[in-house]
Amino acid sequence: MPISPLELARFRRLALRSSDVWQGGIVRLPMWITESDDDPPSRARGVFWFSTRTGLVWANPETVPGTPDVDLAMRGLVDFAKKYSRDLLGRPSRIELTDAALAEQLRSALDDSETTIAVVADLPNVRDATQAFEKFQTQREGLPAALLSSPGVTIEGLRGFAEAAARFYGANVWDALSPEDDLVTIEQPLVDPALQHLIVTGSTRDVRGLNFFASREHWERFLANPPRPGRQKPRVWMLSFDPLHWLPFGDVDAWTDYSLPAAAPDAYPRPGLIEPDDG
């Protein structure tokens, strides 16, 4: 919602805190929004502000995709100052952003000669705070860590994984191999022993993927004791193909920022581990 003239006037009348700098701008938030039940979720954007004097943060998600950035930024400034009025004690003397276009729009919209709006190369405080927010949301929603956050994983390695997964999915082997009858053995010595035997799942589109086993005996035990409600699950590495919004937010960003391939809108590769104590 755009800021009203009255709200803007009240913000400009707040005391100017010469020791405070607010840093931030428009960021992707670790949440999804849906316009209707028939539409797929879209990644929420929002404004994020960080007060260097107090360490307080504020985030306003857009409620409708495509909200003008300057409206989001202004709404965040006003709401931040109002919500934490007892701690912030006024408005900042300086606002820092990395987005030059947004900074120029904000100067025009704020029209406050006492507040400096500066463009800087980096905002490590904002980056750390948004990453902490993303980690909290990921843990709360039970998502695994993003692949790029795993030791040794590079963007080149992730791209190779994405390309291989897209090629495999496009081969459409689901009807040719049966998880009950066809165990594929990988004889390449570089493959981890725990992943050298696999089955192809996918009796329906929503369960297409791979399950990995350390040996034929491991697979046979899995067949004899498959995952069922109320029964302990065997420990199995797996790869599923899922919609983008099922991935950890860090992986969503990687596929978006680096234009990584996916075979279909509901076929983004997601590795995981089924632990024995999973529910």
Side-chain angles (χ1 to χ4, degrees), residues 29-32 41 43 134 137-139 141-148 158 161-162 165 239-256 260-262 264-272:
L29 297 174
M31 60 182 66
W32 299 94
R43 182 72 180 273
E134 179 173 317
Q137 286 291 94
T138 296
Q139 292 176 340
E141 297 180 17
L143 294 172
L147 294 174
L148 277 180
L158 185 58
F161 166 70
L239 175 70
S240 61
F241 290 92
D242 299 317
L244 183 64
H245 63 275
W246 287 18
L247 270 60
F249 293 108
D251 289 343
V252 174
D253 290 343
W255 254 264
T256 301
L260 301 181
D266 59 351
Y268 287 82
R270 183 164 65 105

Side-chain angles (χ1 to χ4, degrees), residues 84 97 108-109 126 156-157 160 177 182 203 244-245 254 265 272:
Y84 293 109
L97 309 90
S108 177
V126 173
E156 292 78 14
L177 298 175
D182 300 308
S203 56
L244 183 64
H245 63 275

Side-chain angles (χ1 to χ4, degrees), residues 31-46:
M31 60 182 66
W32 299 94
I33 54 176
T34 306
E35 292 189 77
S36 72
D37 293 338
D38 297 327
D39 295 324
S42 59
R43 182 72 180 273
R45 299 183 320 136

